[in-house]
Amino acid sequence: MTSDTTATDAAAQPAPELADRPPVWQRRLRRFGYPVRSQGDVRARLVPAFPEPSGRLWAVFGAGPDAAARLARWSGWAGPLLVTLFAGVLRFWNLGSPRKVIFDETYYPKDAWSLLQYGYEGTWAKNANDALVGHPPQLLLSPEHSYVVHPPMGKWLIALGEWAFGMNPFGWRFMVALLGTLSVLLVCRIGRRMMRSTALGCLAGTLLAVDGLHFVMSRTALLDLIVMFWVVAAFGALLVDRDRTRARLAAALPLGPDNVARPDEKVGDRLRLGWRPWRIVAGLCLGLSAATKWNGLYYLAAFALMAVLWDVAARRTAGARRPFRSALRRDVLPAFGATVVVALATYLASWSGWIATKGGYYRDWATTPDGRTGGWTWLPDWLRSLWHYQTEVYSFHTGLTTPHAYQSNPWSWLVLGRPVSYFYEDPKAGQDGCTAAEGCAREVLALGTPLLWWAACFALLYVLYRWLFQRDWRAGAIVCGVAAGYLPWFLYQERTIFLFYAVVFVPFLCLALAMMLGAIIGPPGSAERRRTIGAVGAGVLVLLIVWNFIYFHPLYTGMPIPKSAWHNRMWFDTWV
């Protein structure tokens, strides 16, 4: 009987070669380049280590061994800070030019100044724009409320610059330029953390620094770049949370006799991940993005889902048998509280000025005959008035179909089909710095650096491949960042929308391009010839992108250039 039982048990167990065989879906993806990961040390899979920095570069410049090692260790911050300094010089140089109220600066700087004075948006005279930049400037503002369709957070930030430097072009552009500069630092550090490479992180930040759309939006007092800053900050906070959470799982795994951590079902399924402050930081940043413009809500939904899926993957790697169920039981509710609840509370807090005062638009709606009827009358009047205001704003946004000369369909955004002209003048010779006999053109054109964007189209295809066929979470995160800022606009193709809305996902395009360039260079350990050829190819592309930014720089800053030079830069009829 013992022999029969043993034979039966042996028949029930898979053969060793079958037990080690990867699942069918992995075998099918192998033909597309999917790497089947070995078990190995699970700690290294949960939190890949940063490569030890090399001092070879500093040794080339004559640094001794100790100094080279020290400089290499500092490069993780020194490199990103140098790139940020470069971006800041570009953005703050002659920031007050043009000394005009350009494009939608006719709304947000004036609303910001009104918030400083009254706590809500007042009414400006029709000739207020000319009066603001007159000699002397005049502030033609009255306390009569005005109807505005964007939350106040971004305008409060613009108001900080106006409070510090006055109601002038430099003052109302200052905070946007500062956030644009800091976003470059964030992208450098995010790229370094994602790709475990300081060089690729700095490359991503450099690409962002020389993108024309990001550059123009950093020098114009509009709201979209502020949304972008908070989105990137939230993404970075979630990355830090991801690494720290996975490190907690790795530390809890038991060690085998070879001192190598192995997957453990109890750890993967049951371990509570505890206090996660960086996820709360992400919720705060996502709330600030939505409190600037409502398209931040799409990032709130996308990033909250992405963070939970990261938890599922971490638990699966740690050994959970049912990672989805484990994440649903232990992670989803805390994640909802840390992101969605914190974000909504932040959004509500951004309306404090409107709530605390009595002059804002619809502030007393709940006390009118219309407000006293219907349900929910037990709620505070200010809350019912605010809710009514939000519903009216939603109706406005979804019904906005007024034609505009520079509106564009989102299908054309990635190829820069229809950029937006914020400012245009054609001074004659001898006027406004024009020295050309034929006359000059001055323009501020919200146009992404063309070679960067067109290369980023291929980079998006690359990261899609990496995500779908190689199961690379980094590529999936980049795809999520682009999709959340881009795809929702396809739901509103009849609405009046513009290319500059795309600035929200430009940092993720730069990360995608940096990831593709890293693949072109080749992974560490590749043959020297392979990496040399790859580095030359990637370097040529980056230099062409930088040259392209320099070539269009006059169109980004409103510098006077000869009419013929302006025409040469109008590569397509739709750019005029």
Side-chain angles (χ1 to χ4, degrees):
M1 182 173 178
T2 302
S3 59
D4 292 342
T5 303
T6 303
T8 304
D9 291 343
Q13 297 293 328
E17 62 273 13
L18 295 179
D20 294 336
R21 198 175 183 187
V24 173
W25 66 269
Q26 290 188 3
R27 299 201 303 272
R28 288 177 177 173
L29 287 180
R30 272 181 170 178
R31 70 188 69 175
F32 300 105
Y34 175 76
V36 179
R37 298 176 177 84
S38 61
Q39 292 297 316
D41 191 340
V42 181
R43 290 174 300 188
R45 293 172 54 202
L46 283 169
V47 188
F50 281 92
E52 190 67 26
S54 171
R56 290 174 59 188
L57 176 63
W58 300 106
V60 169
F61 291 101
D66 293 339
R70 193 179 308 112
L71 289 169
R73 287 195 299 272
W74 291 348
S75 64
W77 274 104
L81 287 173
L82 285 174
V83 174
T84 305
L85 177 63
F86 167 69
V89 170
L90 286 176
R91 280 149 181 76
F92 280 97
W93 186 266
N94 205 19
L95 181 61
S97 177
R99 186 177 167 76
K100 301 282 186 179
V101 177
I102 64 174
F103 198 59
D104 278 358
E105 286 187 341
T106 190
Y107 302 117
Y108 310 122
K110 293 189 292 186
D111 287 344
W113 185 261
S114 181
L115 288 174
L116 279 178
Q117 308 307 311
Y118 309 127
Y120 62 89
E121 292 86 348
T123 299
W124 292 78
K126 289 185 178 180
N127 61 332
N129 289 354
D130 293 333
L132 282 173
V133 294
H135 301 283
Q138 293 179 285
L139 304 175
L140 306 181
L141 172 65
S142 72
E144 178 66 24
H145 59 228
S146 63
Y147 180 56
V148 295
V149 295
H150 292 300
M153 189 63 237
K155 290 170 280 188
W156 277 114
L157 287 173
I158 292 172
L160 287 177
E162 295 173 343
W163 171 78
F165 301 102
M167 187 57 176
N168 55 68
F170 182 86
W172 66 62
R173 294 170 189 160
F174 176 83
M175 283 302 298
V176 184
L178 179 62
L179 295 181
T181 301
L182 291 177
S183 68
V184 172
L185 175 62
L186 289 176
V187 168
C188 288
R189 294 290 296 178
I190 285 169
R192 179 179 184 272
R193 183 174 289 272
M194 289 183 71
M195 292 177 265
R196 292 302 196 258
S197 168
T198 300
L200 291 181
C202 290
L203 174 59
T206 301
L207 292 172
L208 186 62
V210 298
D211 174 61
L213 182 60
H214 186 275
F215 177 77
V216 170
M217 296 298 288
S218 297
R219 293 170 53 88
T220 312
L222 272 62
L223 300 179
D224 300 83
L225 185 125
I226 300 175
V227 177
M228 180 226 69
F229 174 81
W230 293 120
V231 164
V232 172
F235 185 76
L238 288 175
L239 282 176
V240 176
D241 172 77
R242 181 184 187 275
D243 276 358
R244 294 195 172 190
T245 300
R246 293 168 75 92
R248 193 174 299 145
L249 279 168
L253 291 173
L255 299 178
D258 52 357
N259 203 35
V260 172
R262 298 294 184 185
D264 184 84
E265 181 180 338
K266 291 183 179 180
V267 172
D269 275 324
R270 302 179 188 178
L271 183 69
R272 294 187 180 276
L273 299 178
W275 171 246
R276 302 174 69 170
W278 283 101
R279 183 168 278 183
I280 296 174
V281 172
L284 176 65
C285 293
L286 290 168
L288 291 170
S289 72
T292 302
K293 284 186 78 170
W294 278 4
N295 55 325
L297 292 171
Y298 293 113
Y299 277 99
L300 172 61
F303 283 1
L305 177 60
M306 180 181 69
V308 171
L309 292 178
W310 282 352
D311 286 346
V312 171
R315 289 188 178 277
R316 179 188 293 115
T317 302
R321 293 186 62 189
R322 298 179 178 84
F324 279 96
R325 189 174 74 174
S326 299
L328 183 64
R329 292 176 59 185
R330 302 189 183 280
D331 302 326
V332 169
L333 189 58
F336 181 84
T339 53
V340 178
V341 174
V342 169
L344 293 179
T346 303
Y347 180 86
L348 187 62
S350 74
W351 287 88
S352 296
W354 183 90
I355 294 168
T357 57
K358 290 294 184 182
Y361 205 86
Y362 282 133
R363 176 61 183 84
D364 296 322
W365 173 85
T367 63
T368 65
D370 288 340
R372 294 194 192 100
T373 60
W376 307 98
T377 55
W378 53 272
L379 290 174
D381 288 348
W382 65 265
L383 184 58
R384 291 192 296 119
S385 296
L386 182 60
W387 178 255
H388 177 72
Y389 197 173
Q390 307 307 295
T391 58
E392 291 296 310
V393 168
Y394 178 78
S395 298
F396 170 84
H397 282 305
T398 55
L400 181 61
T401 56
T402 305
H404 193 285
Y406 289 102
Q407 71 184 70
S408 59
N409 192 286
W411 287 106
S412 69
W413 288 359
L414 289 178
V415 294
L416 304 173
R418 183 58 170 162
V420 182
S421 180
Y422 287 176
F423 166 80
Y424 181 84
E425 285 183 348
D426 51 355
K428 307 299 183 185
Q431 298 177 352
D432 294 334
C434 178
T435 58
E438 62 182 302
C440 294
R442 295 183 65 200
E443 184 170 27
V444 176
L445 186 66
L447 171 72
T449 303
L451 292 184
L452 190 158
W453 281 63
W454 297 338
C457 292
F458 293 97
L460 280 179
L461 295 176
Y462 171 73
V463 293
L464 276 170
Y465 160 76
R466 294 276 304 196
W467 176 45
L468 294 175
F469 297 115
Q470 295 199 344
R471 314 285 285 190
D472 190 326
W473 71 270
R474 304 168 302 172
I478 293 171
V479 170
C480 179
V482 174
Y486 185 36
L487 296 184
W489 293 111
F490 287 91
L491 302 174
Y492 305 101
Q493 295 189 59
E494 300 302 320
R495 186 182 179 276
T496 306
I497 53 180
F498 302 92
L499 168 64
F500 66 82
Y501 295 171
V503 73
V504 179
F505 60 82
V506 165
F508 299 97
L509 294 182
C510 294
L511 287 168
L513 186 52
M515 191 172 182
M516 184 181 77
L517 290 172
I520 291 174
I521 295 171
S526 300
E528 184 101 9
R529 179 182 175 84
R530 159 77 175 83
R531 285 178 66 84
T532 300
I533 294 174
V536 170
V540 168
L541 178 56
V542 172
L543 289 175
L544 287 174
I545 289 171
V546 173
W547 165 83
N548 204 210
F549 172 77
I550 295 171
Y551 179 72
F552 283 99
H553 186 265
L555 297 188
Y556 299 145
T557 56
M559 293 173 55
I561 57 174
K563 275 285 186 69
S564 57
W566 179 84
H567 280 291
N568 290 339
R569 287 164 172 79
M570 295 295 106
W571 287 359
F572 300 98
D573 292 341
T574 56
W575 290 9
V576 179

PDB file of all heavy atoms in Angstrom, residues 58-86:
ATOM      1  N   TRP A  58      34.964  61.847 -13.767  1.00  0.00           N
ATOM      2  CA  TRP A  58      35.696  62.871 -13.036  1.00  0.00           C
ATOM      3  C   TRP A  58      37.202  62.622 -13.108  1.00  0.00           C
ATOM      4  O   TRP A  58      37.991  63.576 -13.099  1.00  0.00           O
ATOM      5  CB  TRP A  58      35.236  62.901 -11.581  1.00  0.00           C
ATOM      6  CG  TRP A  58      33.772  63.197 -11.464  1.00  0.00           C
ATOM      7  CD1 TRP A  58      32.774  62.323 -11.146  1.00  0.00           C
ATOM      8  CD2 TRP A  58      33.140  64.449 -11.721  1.00  0.00           C
ATOM      9  NE1 TRP A  58      31.551  62.947 -11.177  1.00  0.00           N
ATOM     10  CE2 TRP A  58      31.750  64.266 -11.522  1.00  0.00           C
ATOM     11  CE3 TRP A  58      33.600  65.710 -12.088  1.00  0.00           C
ATOM     12  CZ2 TRP A  58      30.829  65.282 -11.687  1.00  0.00           C
ATOM     13  CZ3 TRP A  58      32.684  66.741 -12.254  1.00  0.00           C
ATOM     14  CH2 TRP A  58      31.323  66.523 -12.052  1.00  0.00           C
ATOM     15  N   ALA A  59      37.595  61.355 -13.201  1.00  0.00           N
ATOM     16  CA  ALA A  59      39.016  61.061 -13.344  1.00  0.00           C
ATOM     17  C   ALA A  59      39.554  61.603 -14.666  1.00  0.00           C
ATOM     18  O   ALA A  59      40.713  62.028 -14.748  1.00  0.00           O
ATOM     19  CB  ALA A  59      39.250  59.555 -13.255  1.00  0.00           C
ATOM     20  N   VAL A  60      38.713  61.602 -15.715  1.00  0.00           N
ATOM     21  CA  VAL A  60      39.132  62.148 -17.010  1.00  0.00           C
ATOM     22  C   VAL A  60      39.497  63.620 -16.871  1.00  0.00           C
ATOM     23  O   VAL A  60      40.402  64.130 -17.548  1.00  0.00           O
ATOM     24  CB  VAL A  60      38.001  61.946 -18.050  1.00  0.00           C
ATOM     25  CG1 VAL A  60      38.294  62.729 -19.326  1.00  0.00           C
ATOM     26  CG2 VAL A  60      37.840  60.469 -18.371  1.00  0.00           C
ATOM     27  N   PHE A  61      38.756  64.341 -15.980  1.00  0.00           N
ATOM     28  CA  PHE A  61      39.024  65.767 -15.787  1.00  0.00           C
ATOM     29  C   PHE A  61      40.115  66.021 -14.747  1.00  0.00           C
ATOM     30  O   PHE A  61      40.313  67.153 -14.313  1.00  0.00           O
ATOM     31  CB  PHE A  61      37.750  66.480 -15.355  1.00  0.00           C
ATOM     32  CG  PHE A  61      36.714  66.553 -16.437  1.00  0.00           C
ATOM     33  CD1 PHE A  61      35.639  65.682 -16.456  1.00  0.00           C
ATOM     34  CD2 PHE A  61      36.826  67.485 -17.459  1.00  0.00           C
ATOM     35  CE1 PHE A  61      34.683  65.738 -17.461  1.00  0.00           C
ATOM     36  CE2 PHE A  61      35.882  67.551 -18.470  1.00  0.00           C
ATOM     37  CZ  PHE A  61      34.815  66.680 -18.477  1.00  0.00           C
ATOM     38  N   GLY A  62      40.826  64.965 -14.328  1.00  0.00           N
ATOM     39  CA  GLY A  62      41.982  65.135 -13.469  1.00  0.00           C
ATOM     40  C   GLY A  62      41.735  64.971 -11.989  1.00  0.00           C
ATOM     41  O   GLY A  62      42.648  65.206 -11.194  1.00  0.00           O
ATOM     42  N   ALA A  63      40.528  64.572 -11.574  1.00  0.00           N
ATOM     43  CA  ALA A  63      40.260  64.379 -10.151  1.00  0.00           C
ATOM     44  C   ALA A  63      40.949  63.115  -9.660  1.00  0.00           C
ATOM     45  O   ALA A  63      41.031  62.106 -10.370  1.00  0.00           O
ATOM     46  CB  ALA A  63      38.766  64.289  -9.898  1.00  0.00           C
ATOM     47  N   GLY A  64      41.484  63.167  -8.436  1.00  0.00           N
ATOM     48  CA  GLY A  64      42.086  61.993  -7.844  1.00  0.00           C
ATOM     49  C   GLY A  64      41.058  60.938  -7.506  1.00  0.00           C
ATOM     50  O   GLY A  64      39.843  61.193  -7.556  1.00  0.00           O
ATOM     51  N   PRO A  65      41.481  59.723  -7.160  1.00  0.00           N
ATOM     52  CA  PRO A  65      40.529  58.634  -6.887  1.00  0.00           C
ATOM     53  C   PRO A  65      39.511  58.981  -5.812  1.00  0.00           C
ATOM     54  O   PRO A  65      38.313  58.738  -5.978  1.00  0.00           O
ATOM     55  CB  PRO A  65      41.438  57.475  -6.469  1.00  0.00           C
ATOM     56  CG  PRO A  65      42.773  57.788  -7.067  1.00  0.00           C
ATOM     57  CD  PRO A  65      42.878  59.282  -7.063  1.00  0.00           C
ATOM     58  N   ASP A  66      39.952  59.550  -4.694  1.00  0.00           N
ATOM     59  CA  ASP A  66      39.019  59.891  -3.616  1.00  0.00           C
ATOM     60  C   ASP A  66      38.072  60.991  -4.044  1.00  0.00           C
ATOM     61  O   ASP A  66      36.852  60.922  -3.800  1.00  0.00           O
ATOM     62  CB  ASP A  66      39.786  60.318  -2.361  1.00  0.00           C
ATOM     63  CG  ASP A  66      40.576  59.173  -1.745  1.00  0.00           C
ATOM     64  OD1 ASP A  66      40.222  58.004  -2.042  1.00  0.00           O
ATOM     65  OD2 ASP A  66      41.522  59.441  -0.988  1.00  0.00           O
ATOM     66  N   ALA A  67      38.615  62.021  -4.673  1.00  0.00           N
ATOM     67  CA  ALA A  67      37.768  63.130  -5.118  1.00  0.00           C
ATOM     68  C   ALA A  67      36.786  62.659  -6.183  1.00  0.00           C
ATOM     69  O   ALA A  67      35.607  63.062  -6.183  1.00  0.00           O
ATOM     70  CB  ALA A  67      38.638  64.263  -5.658  1.00  0.00           C
ATOM     71  N   ALA A  68      37.235  61.798  -7.091  1.00  0.00           N
ATOM     72  CA  ALA A  68      36.345  61.287  -8.138  1.00  0.00           C
ATOM     73  C   ALA A  68      35.207  60.476  -7.537  1.00  0.00           C
ATOM     74  O   ALA A  68      34.052  60.596  -7.950  1.00  0.00           O
ATOM     75  CB  ALA A  68      37.139  60.440  -9.140  1.00  0.00           C
ATOM     76  N   ALA A  69      35.506  59.648  -6.538  1.00  0.00           N
ATOM     77  CA  ALA A  69      34.457  58.855  -5.885  1.00  0.00           C
ATOM     78  C   ALA A  69      33.466  59.760  -5.161  1.00  0.00           C
ATOM     79  O   ALA A  69      32.251  59.523  -5.192  1.00  0.00           O
ATOM     80  CB  ALA A  69      35.093  57.864  -4.913  1.00  0.00           C
ATOM     81  N   ARG A  70      33.986  60.810  -4.513  1.00  0.00           N
ATOM     82  CA  ARG A  70      33.111  61.726  -3.781  1.00  0.00           C
ATOM     83  C   ARG A  70      32.199  62.491  -4.753  1.00  0.00           C
ATOM     84  O   ARG A  70      30.991  62.623  -4.525  1.00  0.00           O
ATOM     85  CB  ARG A  70      33.958  62.702  -2.968  1.00  0.00           C
ATOM     86  CG  ARG A  70      33.164  63.496  -1.933  1.00  0.00           C
ATOM     87  CD  ARG A  70      34.064  64.438  -1.139  1.00  0.00           C
ATOM     88  NE  ARG A  70      35.213  63.734  -0.567  1.00  0.00           N
ATOM     89  CZ  ARG A  70      36.473  63.928  -0.949  1.00  0.00           C
ATOM     90  NH1 ARG A  70      36.751  64.818  -1.901  1.00  0.00           N
ATOM     91  NH2 ARG A  70      37.451  63.260  -0.378  1.00  0.00           N
ATOM     92  N   LEU A  71      32.765  62.969  -5.837  1.00  0.00           N
ATOM     93  CA  LEU A  71      31.973  63.691  -6.837  1.00  0.00           C
ATOM     94  C   LEU A  71      30.921  62.781  -7.463  1.00  0.00           C
ATOM     95  O   LEU A  71      29.800  63.212  -7.757  1.00  0.00           O
ATOM     96  CB  LEU A  71      32.889  64.272  -7.913  1.00  0.00           C
ATOM     97  CG  LEU A  71      33.774  65.448  -7.469  1.00  0.00           C
ATOM     98  CD1 LEU A  71      34.807  65.754  -8.531  1.00  0.00           C
ATOM     99  CD2 LEU A  71      32.907  66.681  -7.193  1.00  0.00           C
ATOM    100  N   ALA A  72      31.270  61.521  -7.688  1.00  0.00           N
ATOM    101  CA  ALA A  72      30.314  60.578  -8.257  1.00  0.00           C
ATOM    102  C   ALA A  72      29.136  60.361  -7.318  1.00  0.00           C
ATOM    103  O   ALA A  72      27.985  60.265  -7.752  1.00  0.00           O
ATOM    104  CB  ALA A  72      31.010  59.248  -8.567  1.00  0.00           C
ATOM    105  N   ARG A  73      29.412  60.298  -6.001  1.00  0.00           N
ATOM    106  CA  ARG A  73      28.315  60.126  -5.035  1.00  0.00           C
ATOM    107  C   ARG A  73      27.404  61.345  -5.016  1.00  0.00           C
ATOM    108  O   ARG A  73      26.202  61.221  -4.841  1.00  0.00           O
ATOM    109  CB  ARG A  73      28.892  59.862  -3.642  1.00  0.00           C
ATOM    110  CG  ARG A  73      29.491  58.480  -3.449  1.00  0.00           C
ATOM    111  CD  ARG A  73      29.698  58.174  -1.972  1.00  0.00           C
ATOM    112  NE  ARG A  73      30.622  59.119  -1.346  1.00  0.00           N
ATOM    113  CZ  ARG A  73      31.942  58.959  -1.314  1.00  0.00           C
ATOM    114  NH1 ARG A  73      32.481  57.888  -1.889  1.00  0.00           N
ATOM    115  NH2 ARG A  73      32.724  59.851  -0.725  1.00  0.00           N
ATOM    116  N   TRP A  74      27.979  62.520  -5.183  1.00  0.00           N
ATOM    117  CA  TRP A  74      27.176  63.750  -5.168  1.00  0.00           C
ATOM    118  C   TRP A  74      26.389  63.959  -6.460  1.00  0.00           C
ATOM    119  O   TRP A  74      25.493  64.803  -6.511  1.00  0.00           O
ATOM    120  CB  TRP A  74      28.090  64.954  -4.949  1.00  0.00           C
ATOM    121  CG  TRP A  74      28.695  65.024  -3.585  1.00  0.00           C
ATOM    122  CD1 TRP A  74      28.338  64.288  -2.483  1.00  0.00           C
ATOM    123  CD2 TRP A  74      29.779  65.868  -3.177  1.00  0.00           C
ATOM    124  NE1 TRP A  74      29.133  64.612  -1.410  1.00  0.00           N
ATOM    125  CE2 TRP A  74      30.023  65.583  -1.795  1.00  0.00           C
ATOM    126  CE3 TRP A  74      30.548  66.819  -3.814  1.00  0.00           C
ATOM    127  CZ2 TRP A  74      31.017  66.230  -1.075  1.00  0.00           C
ATOM    128  CZ3 TRP A  74      31.534  67.464  -3.090  1.00  0.00           C
ATOM    129  CH2 TRP A  74      31.765  67.175  -1.742  1.00  0.00           C
ATOM    130  N   SER A  75      26.732  63.225  -7.506  1.00  0.00           N
ATOM    131  CA  SER A  75      26.121  63.483  -8.815  1.00  0.00           C
ATOM    132  C   SER A  75      24.617  63.256  -8.810  1.00  0.00           C
ATOM    133  O   SER A  75      23.906  63.825  -9.637  1.00  0.00           O
ATOM    134  CB  SER A  75      26.782  62.597  -9.881  1.00  0.00           C
ATOM    135  OG  SER A  75      26.534  61.215  -9.614  1.00  0.00           O
ATOM    136  N   GLY A  76      24.111  62.414  -7.890  1.00  0.00           N
ATOM    137  CA  GLY A  76      22.670  62.160  -7.842  1.00  0.00           C
ATOM    138  C   GLY A  76      21.855  63.416  -7.593  1.00  0.00           C
ATOM    139  O   GLY A  76      20.699  63.510  -8.004  1.00  0.00           O
ATOM    140  N   TRP A  77      22.461  64.378  -6.864  1.00  0.00           N
ATOM    141  CA  TRP A  77      21.809  65.680  -6.674  1.00  0.00           C
ATOM    142  C   TRP A  77      22.477  66.769  -7.498  1.00  0.00           C
ATOM    143  O   TRP A  77      21.802  67.680  -8.001  1.00  0.00           O
ATOM    144  CB  TRP A  77      21.817  66.073  -5.195  1.00  0.00           C
ATOM    145  CG  TRP A  77      20.660  65.503  -4.451  1.00  0.00           C
ATOM    146  CD1 TRP A  77      20.655  64.446  -3.586  1.00  0.00           C
ATOM    147  CD2 TRP A  77      19.306  65.966  -4.510  1.00  0.00           C
ATOM    148  NE1 TRP A  77      19.394  64.208  -3.098  1.00  0.00           N
ATOM    149  CE2 TRP A  77      18.550  65.126  -3.648  1.00  0.00           C
ATOM    150  CE3 TRP A  77      18.656  66.975  -5.198  1.00  0.00           C
ATOM    151  CZ2 TRP A  77      17.177  65.298  -3.471  1.00  0.00           C
ATOM    152  CZ3 TRP A  77      17.288  67.155  -5.029  1.00  0.00           C
ATOM    153  CH2 TRP A  77      16.565  66.314  -4.172  1.00  0.00           C
ATOM    154  N   ALA A  78      23.789  66.717  -7.639  1.00  0.00           N
ATOM    155  CA  ALA A  78      24.497  67.780  -8.351  1.00  0.00           C
ATOM    156  C   ALA A  78      24.064  67.857  -9.809  1.00  0.00           C
ATOM    157  O   ALA A  78      23.837  68.956 -10.346  1.00  0.00           O
ATOM    158  CB  ALA A  78      26.006  67.555  -8.255  1.00  0.00           C
ATOM    159  N   GLY A  79      23.931  66.697 -10.464  1.00  0.00           N
ATOM    160  CA  GLY A  79      23.511  66.689 -11.867  1.00  0.00           C
ATOM    161  C   GLY A  79      22.134  67.314 -12.059  1.00  0.00           C
ATOM    162  O   GLY A  79      21.966  68.240 -12.862  1.00  0.00           O
ATOM    163  N   PRO A  80      21.103  66.826 -11.347  1.00  0.00           N
ATOM    164  CA  PRO A  80      19.784  67.452 -11.481  1.00  0.00           C
ATOM    165  C   PRO A  80      19.770  68.935 -11.140  1.00  0.00           C
ATOM    166  O   PRO A  80      19.056  69.716 -11.788  1.00  0.00           O
ATOM    167  CB  PRO A  80      18.930  66.643 -10.492  1.00  0.00           C
ATOM    168  CG  PRO A  80      19.571  65.295 -10.460  1.00  0.00           C
ATOM    169  CD  PRO A  80      21.041  65.572 -10.581  1.00  0.00           C
ATOM    170  N   LEU A  81      20.552  69.352 -10.134  1.00  0.00           N
ATOM    171  CA  LEU A  81      20.564  70.775  -9.773  1.00  0.00           C
ATOM    172  C   LEU A  81      21.200  71.621 -10.876  1.00  0.00           C
ATOM    173  O   LEU A  81      20.749  72.752 -11.142  1.00  0.00           O
ATOM    174  CB  LEU A  81      21.300  70.974  -8.453  1.00  0.00           C
ATOM    175  CG  LEU A  81      20.543  70.499  -7.206  1.00  0.00           C
ATOM    176  CD1 LEU A  81      21.438  70.592  -5.973  1.00  0.00           C
ATOM    177  CD2 LEU A  81      19.262  71.316  -6.996  1.00  0.00           C
ATOM    178  N   LEU A  82      22.224  71.109 -11.544  1.00  0.00           N
ATOM    179  CA  LEU A  82      22.825  71.843 -12.652  1.00  0.00           C
ATOM    180  C   LEU A  82      21.846  71.978 -13.815  1.00  0.00           C
ATOM    181  O   LEU A  82      21.738  73.047 -14.433  1.00  0.00           O
ATOM    182  CB  LEU A  82      24.107  71.143 -13.113  1.00  0.00           C
ATOM    183  CG  LEU A  82      25.322  71.303 -12.210  1.00  0.00           C
ATOM    184  CD1 LEU A  82      26.485  70.442 -12.709  1.00  0.00           C
ATOM    185  CD2 LEU A  82      25.758  72.771 -12.142  1.00  0.00           C
ATOM    186  N   VAL A  83      21.119  70.907 -14.126  1.00  0.00           N
ATOM    187  CA  VAL A  83      20.113  70.973 -15.187  1.00  0.00           C
ATOM    188  C   VAL A  83      19.015  71.973 -14.814  1.00  0.00           C
ATOM    189  O   VAL A  83      18.541  72.751 -15.652  1.00  0.00           O
ATOM    190  CB  VAL A  83      19.513  69.578 -15.450  1.00  0.00           C
ATOM    191  CG1 VAL A  83      18.363  69.652 -16.448  1.00  0.00           C
ATOM    192  CG2 VAL A  83      20.589  68.623 -15.958  1.00  0.00           C
ATOM    193  N   THR A  84      18.631  71.977 -13.535  1.00  0.00           N
ATOM    194  CA  THR A  84      17.606  72.909 -13.074  1.00  0.00           C
ATOM    195  C   THR A  84      18.084  74.347 -13.162  1.00  0.00           C
ATOM    196  O   THR A  84      17.319  75.252 -13.540  1.00  0.00           O
ATOM    197  CB  THR A  84      17.214  72.571 -11.626  1.00  0.00           C
ATOM    198  OG1 THR A  84      16.805  71.201 -11.553  1.00  0.00           O
ATOM    199  CG2 THR A  84      16.079  73.456 -11.150  1.00  0.00           C
ATOM    200  N   LEU A  85      19.343  74.581 -12.824  1.00  0.00           N
ATOM    201  CA  LEU A  85      19.904  75.929 -12.949  1.00  0.00           C
ATOM    202  C   LEU A  85      19.859  76.394 -14.398  1.00  0.00           C
ATOM    203  O   LEU A  85      19.486  77.549 -14.689  1.00  0.00           O
ATOM    204  CB  LEU A  85      21.344  75.935 -12.429  1.00  0.00           C
ATOM    205  CG  LEU A  85      22.103  77.262 -12.555  1.00  0.00           C
ATOM    206  CD1 LEU A  85      21.432  78.349 -11.720  1.00  0.00           C
ATOM    207  CD2 LEU A  85      23.561  77.085 -12.138  1.00  0.00           C
ATOM    208  N   PHE A  86      20.211  75.507 -15.310  1.00  0.00           N
ATOM    209  CA  PHE A  86      20.135  75.819 -16.742  1.00  0.00           C
ATOM    210  C   PHE A  86      18.703  76.174 -17.143  1.00  0.00           C
ATOM    211  O   PHE A  86      18.470  77.183 -17.825  1.00  0.00           O
ATOM    212  CB  PHE A  86      20.651  74.610 -17.534  1.00  0.00           C
ATOM    213  CG  PHE A  86      20.347  74.642 -19.003  1.00  0.00           C
ATOM    214  CD1 PHE A  86      20.963  75.564 -19.837  1.00  0.00           C
ATOM    215  CD2 PHE A  86      19.440  73.744 -19.559  1.00  0.00           C
ATOM    216  CE1 PHE A  86      20.681  75.591 -21.195  1.00  0.00           C
ATOM    217  CE2 PHE A  86      19.149  73.763 -20.910  1.00  0.00           C
ATOM    218  CZ  PHE A  86      19.772  74.689 -21.736  1.00  0.00           C
TER     219      PHE A  86
END
